[in-house]
Amino acid sequence: MAAYGNENAEMRLNNGKKQSWLRSLADSDLAVGWLFTLPFLVLWAWWFFYPFLQSFIRSFQDANFASLGDAKFIGLQNYVQILNDSEFYRAVIHSLQIVVIAVPLQTILGLIMAILVNQKLKGKGMFRTLFFIPYITSQIAITTVFMMLFKQGTFVTEFFTFFGFDNATWFADTRYALLFVAILFIFQQAGFSMIVYLSALQEVPKDLYEAGQMDGASKWAQFRYITVPYVKPITFFVVSVATILGFQIYDQIAAISRYGALGSPAGATSTVVTYFYQHGIRYMEIGYGSAAVVLFFFIIMIITFLQKKLLDDKG
Amino acid sequence: MKKTKRLTGMLIVSLILLVALAACGGNANNNANNGSSQAGEAGAEKATVTMGFWGTAQDLQIYQAAADAISEQYPNIELKIKQYPSSDQFWNTLPGEIAAGVAPDFIKISNEGSFEYINKGLFAPLDEHIGPSGVDMSRFSESAMDIWKVDGKQYGVPNTAMPAMFFINEDLWKEAGLGEYPKTWDEVEAAAKELTNKDRYGIAINIDAYHITNIAKSYGGDWGNGATINSPENVQALQKIFDMYEEGIAVTPKSLGYGWDGEVFANGKAVMTTGGYWYKGYLKDAAPDLKYVAFPVPEGTTAGSTMIADGYVVLKDAKNKEAALQAAYFMTNDTVLTEFLKLGANPAVPGLSSQYFEENPEFANVQPALEYSTDFAYPAETKRFRDELVNQIESVVLGGVKKSPQEILDGIQEQFK
């Protein structure tokens, strides 16, 4: 009986030790922080880091999908070849053009829409929904509708003739096809920017505007000196996200090129992503395609860094 | 209380993590089990074979019925059908699936893209499996077998073979008061001038390798698997295409906002076009009242066109190649081929092929082309070649770049020496 009692005491002691170990772990902010972050980290590592690492390794190989087992290490040859390919530079320029045209426009448009739907207007809920719908609609569906609208002879192409454009099928014309892609991007992305800006605008303290009004600040001055600085961190977020998505634009181009070569017409809509897809997937040169992706990664990284620096300096 | 909540939270997070990881592991196992089973070797066990294809809903119906009936001839095979949404999806997804080991065991493909894959070793040569699997390849016509032969090795089970065609909208032709139908490209050009007005073009020339190749062949040209890209015959053919565009009598579907030539034709936006047997099924749905006549591709300097064929190829990683070959062979039985015959496809089996023109009288004019139509002979880097050809021609037709056919083809030849 006594021995039995001792056993129980020992078990209680052990349980106590276990509980205190768990409790001390639960007490540690660092451990809890890591544990809560762990699911994301594991999935991120599995779905993003590991594939990127694979791409990085492949970028130094002469690797083909058809015979991955025969991949050979070729050093920087893929990179050298890409940097000597005029098509790559053409693709980079097109990507930059989309970003340079579309990102500022969608940012400004998003902010304007957010300001509008932040007013005390009748039916503002409906407008918020209407502006946001394109963002959650399938890119292919929107592209298909726009392709019908931008056909030669429609009221849309007719309307644009007032601005000096020819009445042509935009996505089949090498002069307008890239602009068509940029318009598609702006149309979709502005809704997202609007929602993000809207949440930021609702955080701006009302008394700042009241103080501004009392000091005689015009509406423009209030916008320039209160709203813009207040939403600056959001602007950085909106611009960064739009830049990355602008560089990654693919679905719209694939839809335009449905029955032709990717980047159609005549490569006028080729971008860095289509360049990668063309080589890495379509031509099965996964080593070469991976090198393009790695270069692309660094291009985006540098541009995002420059954006941050620029916005920080201006602030 | 707060600590207990925290502890519970930690345990839940750990559990989620565990489940997520277990799910990843489970998925990997499932993938590993995909594809054909080794049942053929085991004897009594059933071999599961997967067939991949892209095509219409009607095609799927025919294939599904065949898959349900396969056990009558091959009781040891269970056949699963995998349909891809489009040809692009099919060709772009397949390499990744092969690399990941989850590709179908055999696929139906056309001879337009097969050479590249054969050349890259993605398909298994069938010669060593033909005997053991007991399939009778002698029932296919020799010309159909040859299409799937590379370096003396048989890579495909022939299914259908049909020459390219030239379509004319009968009503619009008669409305324009034109007489005999054109037989040469010069006659086509002359007729197209008469037929073009503010509402329509004389001819739709889709800037696509299929259509370009047909015109090249009608001038005695050919790509020669990359050796004769800039031949004088090909240059002459491309010049004719450019002439018709410059004269404003030809249109590419894209310029009108259409996806392909069939849409332009069905909507009455062009009176003539090059095409293929698939027009029958398409026009039946898209423009049931449209009256058309079909001819062989007009002559440039000679009678020539492509023979578009489809067949079944076994993938190099199929685990049970003999079962895959048997299943592929089953897809060419009389019942299946007769169903496809009704949809306008000409079976590669001579016995059935003789019924083809009775079943499809609208294609009777095309029969002579069976004699002289040949394979596409694209370079081994087929996709790259087709993209380059299309891009270069589009740059002139849609981009206004000033390049002669000779310059264009010389440039492409340089890349595909």
Side-chain angles (χ1 to χ4, degrees):
Chain A
M1 187 71 188
Y4 192 70
N6 283 342
E7 233 171 65
N8 274 347
E10 205 174 314
M11 274 171 68
R12 274 200 302 275
L13 192 67
N14 283 341
N15 280 342
K17 270 183 190 168
K18 269 184 202 164
Q19 274 191 1
S20 68
W21 176 79
L22 271 172
R23 290 225 173 266
S24 66
L25 193 68
D27 283 343
S28 159
D29 284 342
L30 189 69
V32 171
W34 272 107
L35 196 62
F36 274 92
T37 322
L38 206 55
F40 166 76
L41 281 179
V42 169
L43 294 175
W44 177 82
W46 183 265
W47 291 110
F48 295 97
F49 183 70
Y50 177 68
F52 179 76
L53 194 68
Q54 280 281 322
S55 294
F56 190 70
I57 295 166
R58 291 274 179 222
S59 73
F60 298 103
Q61 292 178 340
D62 177 13
N64 193 296
F65 257 138
S67 49
L68 277 178
D70 302 333
K72 282 186 299 223
F73 178 78
I74 52 165
L76 292 171
Q77 211 170 298
N78 284 330
Y79 290 96
V80 173
Q81 212 176 322
I82 290 172
L83 294 173
N84 281 315
D85 184 1
S86 60
E87 284 302 313
F88 177 72
Y89 292 106
R90 191 183 186 203
V92 171
I93 288 168
H94 288 164
S95 291
L96 286 171
Q97 281 176 330
I98 291 174
V99 168
V100 167
I101 296 169
V103 173
L105 284 176
Q106 71 84 32
T107 308
I108 294 166
L109 198 61
L111 182 58
I112 292 171
M113 290 192 308
I115 291 168
L116 287 177
V117 296
N118 198 34
Q119 307 297 314
K120 283 175 187 161
L121 287 172
K122 237 186 175 182
K124 66 179 178 184
M126 185 190 73
F127 283 112
R128 285 178 188 180
T129 313
L130 274 179
F131 291 153
F132 192 63
I133 279 176
Y135 182 69
I136 50 166
T137 307
S138 148
Q139 292 176 347
I140 300 291
I142 287 183
T143 308
T144 307
V145 171
F146 269 65
M147 281 170 80
M148 285 192 254
L149 292 173
F150 281 77
K151 271 187 348 188
Q152 187 182 30
T154 61
F155 70 93
V156 177
T157 52
E158 190 70 47
F159 169 76
F160 275 100
T161 57
F162 292 115
F163 300 97
F165 291 92
D166 286 343
N167 192 343
T169 302
W170 278 41
F171 51 90
D173 193 307
T174 51
R175 296 168 299 167
Y176 308 145
L178 199 67
L179 183 59
F180 178 72
V181 174
I183 290 172
L184 283 169
F185 181 75
I186 294 166
F187 181 74
Q188 284 210 286
Q189 196 60 27
F192 171 76
S193 302
M194 177 204 73
I195 287 292
V196 179
Y197 270 129
L198 188 60
S199 65
L201 287 175
Q202 286 170 353
E203 294 299 312
V204 183
K206 298 269 182 299
D207 50 359
L208 285 181
Y209 291 112
E210 286 164 10
Q213 275 169 353
M214 286 173 74
D215 289 343
S218 65
K219 285 276 178 198
W220 169 250
Q222 287 175 40
F223 172 75
R224 171 74 184 84
Y225 297 106
I226 301 171
T227 310
V228 171
Y230 224 91
V231 299
K232 200 183 140 194
I234 294 301
T235 301
F236 172 69
F237 173 74
V238 165
V239 169
S240 299
V241 169
T243 302
I244 292 168
L245 293 177
F247 271 118
Q248 291 179 340
I249 199 162
Y250 175 79
D251 289 356
Q252 293 89 334
I253 297 168
I256 292 171
S257 319
R258 198 162 35 127
Y259 291 98
L262 194 59
S264 180
T269 58
S270 68
T271 62
V272 183
V273 174
T274 64
Y275 182 86
F276 153 73
Y277 190 83
Q278 197 93 334
H279 288 272
I281 309 294
R282 195 165 153 76
Y283 305 153
M284 295 189 262
E285 299 161 338
I286 196 65
Y288 189 87
S290 296
V293 163
V294 172
L295 281 175
F296 181 40
F297 170 78
F298 284 112
I299 290 171
I300 291 188
M301 203 173 76
I302 291 166
I303 288 173
T304 311
F305 174 77
L306 287 176
Q307 273 176 348
K308 182 159 173 47
K309 188 109 182 71
L310 198 70
L311 283 168
D312 280 352
D313 287 350
K314 280 199 172 173
Chain B
M1 187 66 185
K2 200 178 163 189
K3 278 186 184 175
T4 315
K5 271 187 183 170
R6 211 170 156 131
L7 202 61
T8 315
M10 282 169 65
L11 289 170
I12 290 170
V13 169
S14 308
L15 192 69
I16 290 169
L17 197 60
L18 205 68
V19 171
L21 289 173
C24 290
N27 203 18
N29 286 340
N30 289 342
N31 288 343
N33 289 335
N34 243 338
S36 61
S37 72
Q38 319 72 4
E41 291 130 39
E45 235 181 292
K46 270 201 166 190
T48 304
V49 174
T50 309
M51 175 190 135
F53 84 104
W54 71 270
T56 63
Q58 287 168 313
D59 295 350
L60 180 64
Q61 263 182 0
I62 297 170
Y63 282 131
Q64 206 54 64
D68 294 341
I70 196 168
S71 57
E72 291 164 19
Q73 190 173 343
Y74 296 110
N76 280 1
I77 295 176
E78 188 192 346
L79 181 57
K80 287 183 176 169
I81 307 293
K82 180 177 179 182
Q83 186 186 22
Y84 293 78
S86 68
S87 69
D88 258 5
Q89 286 262 2
F90 176 75
W91 289 113
N92 294 334
T93 312
L94 196 63
E97 289 189 338
I98 292 170
V102 295
D105 298 290
F106 75 99
I107 54 176
K108 185 178 95 163
I109 57 165
S110 92
N111 58 332
E112 256 204 288
S114 60
F115 183 55
E116 178 166 17
Y117 284 76
I118 291 171
N119 211 49
K120 286 182 172 157
L122 290 172
F123 302 153
L126 303 177
D127 306 77
E128 61 178 295
H129 305 293
I130 288 171
S133 61
V135 299
D136 175 19
M137 300 295 271
S138 66
R139 67 191 288 262
F140 304 108
S141 70
E142 208 179 311
S143 59
M145 286 287 280
D146 283 347
I147 288 174
W148 300 98
K149 216 172 254 181
V150 174
D151 295 333
K153 289 180 186 164
Q154 189 68 35
Y155 281 92
V157 179
N159 186 46
T160 63
M162 193 63 195
M165 298 182 192
F166 188 73
F167 289 85
I168 298 174
N169 183 319
E170 200 179 346
D171 288 337
L172 293 180
W173 181 272
K174 284 181 180 163
E175 191 187 293
L178 296 171
E180 258 188 63
Y181 291 116
K183 290 189 175 62
T184 66
W185 282 111
D186 287 341
E187 289 171 13
V188 168
E189 189 178 5
K193 282 179 191 162
E194 299 290 322
L195 291 162
T196 302
N197 60 31
K198 65 178 178 46
D199 296 320
R200 63 175 189 239
Y201 289 83
I203 183 168
I205 304 177
N206 194 353
I207 303 177
D208 175 87
Y210 170 78
H211 301 272
I212 310 296
T213 306
N214 274 301
I215 300 173
K217 286 198 181 253
S218 71
Y219 278 86
D222 194 86
W223 309 118
N225 291 128
T228 56
I229 294 170
N230 59 348
S231 68
E233 294 83 3
N234 290 347
V235 171
Q236 203 181 349
L238 198 51
Q239 186 62 58
K240 175 59 80 182
I241 294 170
F242 282 3
D243 288 348
M244 287 195 274
Y245 274 116
E246 266 173 34
E247 290 162 24
I249 56 174
V251 69
T252 183
K254 192 170 276 180
S255 299
L256 298 178
Y258 292 112
W260 65 294
D261 38 281
E263 285 179 30
V264 182
F265 190 73
N267 283 287
K269 295 291 178 191
V271 186
M272 301 179 281
T273 180
T274 42
Y277 66 83
W278 49 91
Y279 266 57
K280 180 177 174 172
Y282 173 70
L283 292 174
K284 203 169 133 187
D285 291 335
D289 298 329
L290 191 152
K291 281 188 195 157
Y292 62 87
V293 279
F295 293 100
V297 172
E299 288 181 23
T301 53
T302 183
S305 63
T306 61
M307 179 73 86
I308 183 129
D310 58 48
Y312 301 97
V313 293
V314 175
L315 272 77
K316 65 162 185 174
D317 293 327
K319 289 188 183 68
N320 191 335
K321 293 189 178 64
E322 275 162 31
L325 176 57
Q326 287 172 331
Y329 180 74
F330 183 77
M331 288 307 193
T332 64
N333 68 43
D334 286 3
T335 313
V336 177
L337 285 180
T338 306
E339 289 299 319
F340 279 118
L341 188 146
K342 287 176 193 162
L343 295 178
N346 180 32
V349 176
L352 287 170
S353 184
S354 57
Q355 299 168 26
Y356 179 79
F357 293 103
E358 288 165 30
E359 190 71 42
N360 299 281
E362 60 273 63
F363 294 156
N365 294 325
V366 185
Q367 198 163 6
L370 278 168
E371 300 298 318
Y372 58 76
S373 296
T374 51
D375 196 15
F376 290 86
Y378 291 134
E381 295 286 330
T382 304
K383 283 191 256 183
R384 192 196 291 270
F385 168 74
R386 288 168 56 110
D387 287 351
E388 189 59 23
L389 185 69
V390 168
N391 274 337
Q392 289 296 330
I393 297 175
E394 277 187 351
S395 71
V396 172
V397 175
L398 302 175
V401 171
K402 299 280 175 221
K403 264 188 183 177
S404 70
Q406 185 73 59
E407 285 172 310
I408 286 177
L409 295 178
D410 283 348
I412 302 174
Q413 181 70 76
E414 189 62 26
Q415 296 175 49
F416 296 88
K417 282 175 184 166

